[in-house]
Amino acid sequence: MASPAIDVAIEISLNDGESDYGSDFSPEEEQIVTQLLSGQKSRDDNPIVNDAEHDDSQRVLHLPRIVGRAQRSILFQRAKAADEEAEQISKSVERREQTTDLGNTIREPSIELVPENPNETPEDPKAGDTRSPLERFRTPPKKALSVTDLVSPAWCELQYWYTLTVHGRKRRTAEMKQGTRVHQKLEEQVHTTVRVDVQTKEDAWGLRIWNVIQGLRTLRSTGQTRELEIWGTVDGLVVNGIIDELSYICPDVNCEESLQKPQAKIEPPPDQTTISDFFKAQGGAALVEAARAKRRTQSDKVYLCDVKTRSIKKLPSGAAVRPTKMQLMLYHQLLSALATNTMGFSVLTDRYNLDPLQVFSDSFIVQVGSLNDDVFYDAPSEPSASQDSEPSLSQDSMSQLLAHNTLTSLWSFMIEEFQKTLPNGVDSLGKVLKAEYRSRDTGEILGSNTFAMNEEELKKFLDHEMEWWKGERKAEGVVVEEAYKCRGCDYAENCEWRLGKIEEAMQNVRKSKKTTAK
């Protein structure tokens, strides 16, 4: 946030009678300068300071709360019970329920670039270390790129650059902590987490892969899963992320239908009765409408949803939703690559220096196998016609882990689960993406935004961002129309872009005055 001293100094210059330009600002020019100096509070929409953080390396096993193949109707009932979810979250927040310390979190070997003085002035992007952001912050032994790394600059590249250079990573803000509580309560509706002690980094990665397998099975059995970790590559570089929610509920049926590939319409013979006409003739109009209603809510496609928490009820719009939109699109792209098995596992083993053929420790297999066979019932489930064709969630996990006791084998097993969940590859993924907004204080659903998947738009965005990450260009500030973002920025006081734009606006006024005088 800009310091009062700077704001006051510029305000005096604008109103000083001896100034050759201050008193001659037009209303439009004054508005631009005012936006640059103050703007509107915008932390709610800023992923750099607000997005709930996911620990992608916790030593916890995700156990499904509903074992067996429950009917999908359970999910649709849950979708209508949002108020109950909000009430549970609200009570938890009111009690300030402390998050259980799962302890012993696994972190990839990394060097955190935290300065001795956390209040130091951010680096000048044009000076100092000439290495690219990728070389400085995301090369081994430091952590790999995340989805957050790629989409946060959509808010403001300079702010993310300053965050990395001053702190080495995103700082955990009060907004993040509160948002994390809401996310954890939502996850608890689907998974029970149990601590697992691992012996090696191969064990740790085996646990992460096993959790994905469990997440995919939970999706198929209950129609919903949360906190699904995914991996992929962008420009040849490893990227990981965690999807908040996957379900079979289409957030916008009309939009989804409009995005489907056009198919040639086959006209029936003129004397052939259509199914709809047949049912209507038999007095079955109600059945036809019921089938249509079911199709509007249920789908064989899987849809992505990202949950955002806010302190205000107003939903974001315009440029404020761009980071979330890009985030969902990138999740869709990474998930598509896993569904089609187009990312070689060797990319991950090379990046994290893993031994793909090392056998998991006996301790790991025993813990995960026995824990997963425990009973975690929320409600009894009824078998479906397809249950015999696929393993239940309570199947002997020990035998599966023994049969897939290396990272290479377990990864292949996970890919098989992806292909069961998304049998038609990319076509099994819905093209409508949803951002759901909840109150940070109560968990109440405030509303949602939906976006259509757009591969060309995502590619253009990623190409531009990778130019900055690879050091091919300098970090850019926001356009003048988005200067309101500067209000919630901790680096506004010394931001060269911001101060430069103020000076640029003043110089334009001077030129305009001289032109008018002539």
Side-chain angles (χ1 to χ4, degrees), residues 155 315-325 449 451 482 484-485:
W155 179 262
L315 299 189
S317 60
V321 301
R322 191 169 187 238
T324 301
K325 183 179 180 181
N449 285 327
F451 319 99
E482 298 174 24
Y484 63 87
K485 296 177 179 179

Side-chain angles (χ1 to χ4, degrees), residues 135-152:
E135 293 171 323
R136 293 184 60 181
F137 307 115
R138 294 295 180 262
T139 54
K142 305 178 185 72
K143 63 177 288 188
L145 283 169
S146 66
V147 171
T148 298
D149 284 329
L150 294 177
V151 303
S152 290

Side-chain angles (χ1 to χ4, degrees), residues 113 123-133 135-137 161 165 474:
L113 305 178
E123 275 184 40
D124 179 349
K126 299 179 181 178
D129 198 322
T130 58
R131 290 178 297 166
S132 69
E135 293 171 323
R136 293 184 60 181
F137 307 115
W161 165 257
T165 55
K474 300 296 182 181

